[in-house]
Amino acid sequence: MDTSAHHMSALFSQLGLDSSLDAMTQFIMQHRLPDHLTLTQAPFWNAGQVQFLNDCYREDSDWIPVVDELNARLHHAP
């Protein structure tokens, strides 16, 4: 079992997104979420991305800390 901590760049790669610092910053700035939407309800995810995020929560996976960090960044201004 992989017990290493995951980082934001690894999460972006796992989601099939550009994981460069500039691309991650741009993605977060362009995809702000209103408080009434959960991370997995965001309209910009594809079905595979939603499945991965839902699986992380359902399985309480080791991805949760970085998924929660992404959730917070998308819901709050820098």
Side-chain angles (χ1 to χ4, degrees):
M1 176 189 339
D2 179 12
T3 59
S4 60
H6 298 291
H7 300 280
M8 190 64 64
S9 60
L11 177 60
F12 270 68
S13 291
Q14 184 68 29
L15 291 168
L17 302 171
D18 185 340
S19 62
S20 69
L21 182 57
D22 288 342
M24 291 187 300
T25 301
Q26 184 176 6
F27 181 90
I28 290 167
M29 295 303 295
Q30 291 178 347
H31 294 93
R32 294 293 180 195
L33 288 175
D35 289 339
H36 70 276
L37 284 181
T38 66
L39 180 64
T40 58
Q41 293 172 326
F44 46 81
W45 301 126
N46 66 37
Q49 292 165 326
V50 170
Q51 182 66 47
F52 172 77
L53 294 168
N54 279 325
D55 287 349
C56 287
Y57 285 117
R58 189 181 71 251
E59 297 168 5
D60 194 24
S61 79
D62 57 351
W63 285 100
I64 288 298
V66 72
V67 169
D68 285 344
E69 180 183 347
L70 178 60
N71 181 51
R73 289 184 181 189
L74 290 172
H75 278 97
H76 302 288

